[in-house]
Amino acid sequence: MAEPATNLSRLRENIPTLLILAALAATPMIALGLGDPFIVKVATRVVVFAIAAVALNFVVGYGGLVSLCHAGFFGIGGYVVGILAWHDFNAEPLWFLPGTSDLAIALPAAILVSAIIATIVGAISLRTSGPYFLMITLAFNQMFYYGAIALQKYGGDDGLQIMSTITLGPLDVSNRYRFFYLALAVLAITLLLVGRFVDSRFGMVLRAASKNETRVIAVGVDPWLYRLAAFVISAVLTAVAGALLAAGQQFISPVDMGWDRSGDLVVMAVLGGVGVVWGPAIGAAAFVVLELVLSSWTTHWQFVFGLLIVLIVVSLRGGLADLGRTIFSRGSEEATHG
Amino acid sequence: MADVILLVDRLMKSFGGLRATNDLSLEVLRGECHAIIGPNGAGKTTFISQLQGMLAPDSGTITLNGADITGEPAHRRARLGIARSFQITSLVPDFSVLDHAALAVQARLGHSFRFWKNARRDPALVAPAQEAVETVGLASRAKTLARDLSHGEARQLELAIAIAQQPKLLLLDEPMAGMGRKDGVAMTELLARLKKDYSIILIEHDMQAVFSLADRISVLVAGHIIKTGAPEVIRTDPDVRAAYLGH
Ligand SMILES: Nc1ncnc2c1ncn2[C@@H]1O[C@H](COP(=O)(O)OP(=O)(O)OP(=O)(O)O)[C@@H](O)[C@H]1O
Ligand SMILES: [Mg+2]
């Protein structure tokens, strides 16, 4: 109960998060050292999917709600950025609004649009639970997917190329390295936010309700509105990740929001570990890198990939985070028992 | 007329053809410990569930402190002051003992749309939660996860959660169910202390406990209360003996 001890344990709780961020922050240096800018491209992809997987895990791991429409929100974020940039480039107003290539405007726009859509989708989906929730969110994902294909003006199923230069306020972020650090900052913020949320009063309600709804109701809380709020927060953060993907690769397409991509996000979360906030970030990194390495080795990579994931999830029941936790809790157990 | 905290009027509840609650009327006085006894399957838990709001009655009314709460959902009844301990322990496996009590405290303190402050380090939650945990004698197990508790400890935690809600009316559904002799005695002593501070509806099969704790006893048979009275009256009542105590 002594103050120094709690400060120490607080620090220890944050070590994995800080290590992940530090390791990622070092990748551009490695890329420069090796003279291989492709590494930064991969690292940016890792960071973007880490944001989405951490955000998704807020509802999956802590809310017990396995959503299969998060790729939809990811794509919505991407298309908001893409469409605003299209109108900026073509100097054609969107209804009465001018287009923009400034993320300082496009990101808040993506947040607003995704929040509105997520509120509607959540309010409908959360009337169900378990496999029905899975099915209805999957159906919504397909709606978004075909909705994107129907956007003929913005490329339809070919996707939407961003022709203008993306900025953040006065800052030009079309530079690959600069953009990477922007994305990394968003990941840091996401980890901080979700980390605070899950341990707050809100988080306690969300977690308790995922394991035993009857108990939560019996003490006087209707979990419904809390789940909806968590769903919207999670969707918005995922949309921000999608917005960053579109801005970073100057391209967004319906492929980025297919239902299989929703499944990928769930796999990243489970692979990394749904029990800790930073787990899915590790999962995203492992997923993106494995996909890349395996697909260059063999054409049957998806089979090997699936097999590897099954092996990891079965042998480490808490996902890859279990590896990290074993390493970090070694020290703390010695401290308490010693 | 004495001060009535709970008034149940002609409550009815059927499961298919089975009348689990059959024209049930009951008055609970403020500060009273009112025991409900009856054979297995008499409809005791079904009745408690309707008081708590988890089950909706087919007809009849429930009045708490003069207000009709028949249509209120369970979570709002909890806020109005009804706390229930479950016959079959209902806990969150990966929450500690203290977490459970703290959850009840935060529910009582208003909405939980608080996103930033760490709930486990919030003295406004931890202090009252700790107190409830101490009251039931679980202080040494405060940090233990629910899944690691013994059966007796889990029963104690059920009670700690209910106390942390600071209810006006405690619904205790067989708080000693499945407990050994020793734990049962400890629980009876605990309930004897709690009885001073709360109005209680107590369902219990342990007759020794019931007769030592209850101010009044109602006998429930096939969903209907056949008799209400002081313990000594119930003990000697021929109808009750025939229907229940006899066997
Ligand atoms: N959800 C339900 N659906 C159908 N029948 C039910 C349901 N719940 C209870 N019953 C039936 O209603 C009757 C009363 O059950 P209840 O659990 O209320 O009895 P009880 O008095 O609490 O018994 P015990 O002493 O065993 O706890 C029983 O016959 C039971 O099988
Ligand atoms: Mg029962």
Side-chain angles (χ1 to χ4, degrees):
Chain A
M1 281 284 167
E3 246 341 276
T6 58
N7 278 342
L8 209 68
S9 77
R10 261 179 242 192
L11 182 69
R12 193 156 35 220
E13 283 166 23
N14 290 320
I15 285 177
T17 306
L18 295 173
L19 280 180
I20 291 167
L21 292 173
L24 285 168
T27 48
M29 267 73 101
I30 298 169
L32 282 173
L34 296 174
D36 185 0
F38 182 65
I39 293 178
V40 181
K41 220 175 152 186
V42 175
T44 306
R45 202 173 164 79
V46 165
V47 168
V48 163
F49 281 106
I51 297 168
V54 168
L56 171 66
N57 192 43
F58 187 43
V59 286
V60 172
Y62 293 91
L65 304 164
V66 182
S67 159
L68 287 182
C69 62
H70 268 54
F73 295 121
F74 189 84
I76 286 167
Y79 269 96
V80 168
V81 167
I83 289 171
L84 286 174
W86 186 94
H87 283 274
D88 181 35
F89 185 75
N90 292 293
E92 180 190 319
L94 176 58
W95 298 305
F96 53 93
L97 293 165
T100 178
S101 303
D102 186 352
L103 286 179
I105 300 167
L107 280 182
I111 288 171
L112 186 70
V113 171
S114 59
I116 292 168
I117 296 175
T119 305
I120 298 165
V121 170
I124 295 169
S125 307
L126 288 168
R127 290 161 175 271
T128 65
S129 61
Y132 302 99
F133 182 80
L134 215 71
M135 293 307 294
I136 197 163
T137 51
L138 184 65
F140 272 115
N141 197 93
Q142 291 308 80
M143 268 176 57
F144 298 146
Y145 175 75
Y146 288 110
I149 286 180
L151 295 174
Q152 283 308 327
K153 184 173 179 181
Y154 306 112
D157 51 7
D158 292 333
L160 175 57
Q161 191 81 40
I162 295 176
M163 310 298 281
S164 56
T165 307
I166 295 291
T167 60
L168 177 67
L171 204 67
D172 178 357
V173 287
S174 59
N175 173 294
R176 191 171 278 177
Y177 291 87
R178 208 178 270 171
F179 188 84
F180 170 78
Y181 283 110
L182 167 65
L184 188 61
V186 175
L187 174 61
I189 293 169
T190 303
L191 285 166
L192 173 70
L193 289 179
V194 176
R196 297 299 297 223
F197 294 169
V198 300
D199 286 327
S200 69
R201 290 190 189 190
F202 180 88
M204 294 311 268
V205 167
L206 189 66
R207 290 153 80 165
S210 83
K211 298 286 162 61
N212 188 343
E213 181 173 73
T214 307
R215 174 39 81 193
V216 175
I217 293 172
V219 298
V221 181
D222 181 2
W224 194 82
L225 210 52
Y226 294 87
R227 287 184 173 138
L228 181 60
F231 187 82
V232 173
I233 290 168
S234 166
V236 163
L237 290 170
T238 306
V240 169
L244 289 174
L245 183 88
Q249 62 184 22
Q250 304 267 103
F251 181 67
I252 185 79
S253 92
V255 175
D256 295 313
M257 56 199 299
W259 70 272
D260 48 336
R261 186 53 65 75
S262 277
D264 288 349
L265 290 176
V266 176
V267 170
M268 288 177 199
V270 174
L271 182 66
V274 296
V276 281
V277 172
W278 48 270
I282 303 264
F287 191 101
V288 170
V289 173
L290 268 179
E291 188 178 36
L292 196 78
V293 171
L294 290 178
S295 60
S296 65
W297 272 357
T298 156
T299 48
H300 305 294
W301 68 274
Q302 276 167 325
F303 175 77
V304 183
F305 189 46
L307 203 67
L308 260 176
I309 287 173
V310 169
L311 277 178
I312 292 172
V313 172
V314 168
S315 57
L316 296 166
R317 293 195 51 210
L320 290 169
D322 256 11
L323 280 181
R325 243 190 309 190
T326 330
I327 296 163
F328 290 111
S329 62
R330 202 47 55 77
S332 72
E333 249 144 56
E334 270 159 26
T336 48
H337 292 301
Chain B
M1 193 177 127
D3 190 7
V4 176
I5 184 164
L6 182 81
L7 188 68
V8 178
D9 187 38
R10 287 168 292 164
L11 211 61
M12 290 284 216
K13 178 76 190 175
S14 299
F15 296 117
L18 176 77
R19 286 197 171 172
T21 305
N22 188 7
D23 192 22
L24 194 164
S25 297
L26 178 75
E27 252 182 31
V28 178
L29 307 179
R30 194 177 308 283
E32 152 178 68
C33 175
H34 196 121
I36 296 176
I37 62 173
N40 288 110
K44 303 183 293 296
T45 299
T46 304
F47 176 50
I48 293 287
S49 293
Q50 291 169 85
L51 293 182
Q52 185 226 344
M54 250 176 76
L55 272 182
D58 298 335
S59 65
T61 58
I62 301 166
T63 311
L64 181 74
N65 280 324
D68 185 344
I69 59 162
T70 319
E72 295 286 348
H75 65 95
R76 221 168 300 147
R77 290 191 203 187
R79 295 283 182 91
L80 290 172
I82 294 183
R84 168 192 192 173
S85 85
F86 290 86
Q87 177 175 4
I88 296 164
T89 314
S90 179
L91 301 172
V92 182
D94 56 355
F95 266 33
S96 74
V97 166
L98 202 58
D99 287 341
H100 281 88
L103 185 71
V105 174
Q106 83 174 53
R108 149 166 76 77
L109 292 181
H111 70 81
S112 292
F113 284 100
R114 312 245 174 118
F115 294 90
W116 205 247
K117 217 167 146 191
N118 188 311
R120 288 190 170 118
R121 294 176 189 136
D122 184 349
L125 301 181
V126 176
Q130 187 76 38
E131 202 178 304
V133 168
E134 275 164 21
T135 303
V136 302
L138 272 181
S140 66
R141 303 285 274 162
K143 295 278 161 71
T144 308
L145 299 186
R147 71 158 80 90
D148 297 327
L149 294 176
S150 73
H151 176 78
E153 288 169 338
R155 303 302 304 162
Q156 282 170 283
L157 177 52
E158 278 280 335
L159 201 57
I161 298 167
I163 291 170
Q165 288 177 250
Q166 293 191 348
K168 301 195 177 86
L169 177 65
L170 262 178
L171 310 176
L172 305 179
D173 196 353
E174 303 200 24
M176 292 162 217
M179 274 190 169
R181 190 74 229 140
K182 198 161 136 271
D183 286 346
V185 170
M187 182 61 91
T188 309
E189 282 166 8
L190 172 60
L191 293 180
R193 272 186 286 132
L194 290 180
K195 181 185 144 157
K196 297 187 190 84
D197 300 322
Y198 299 94
S199 308
I200 298 176
I201 292 185
L202 172 68
I203 290 177
E204 192 45 64
H205 280 300
D206 180 336
M207 284 307 130
Q208 229 167 330
V210 166
F211 281 98
S212 76
L213 290 168
D215 299 311
R216 287 195 301 163
I217 298 172
S218 289
V219 182
L220 187 71
V221 176
H224 187 74
I225 288 183
I226 59 166
K227 205 105 202 171
T228 296
E232 40 305 346
V233 177
I234 295 295
R235 201 194 301 267
T236 52
D237 187 279
D239 293 343
V240 174
R241 296 191 79 90
Y244 182 46
L245 294 176
H247 66 215

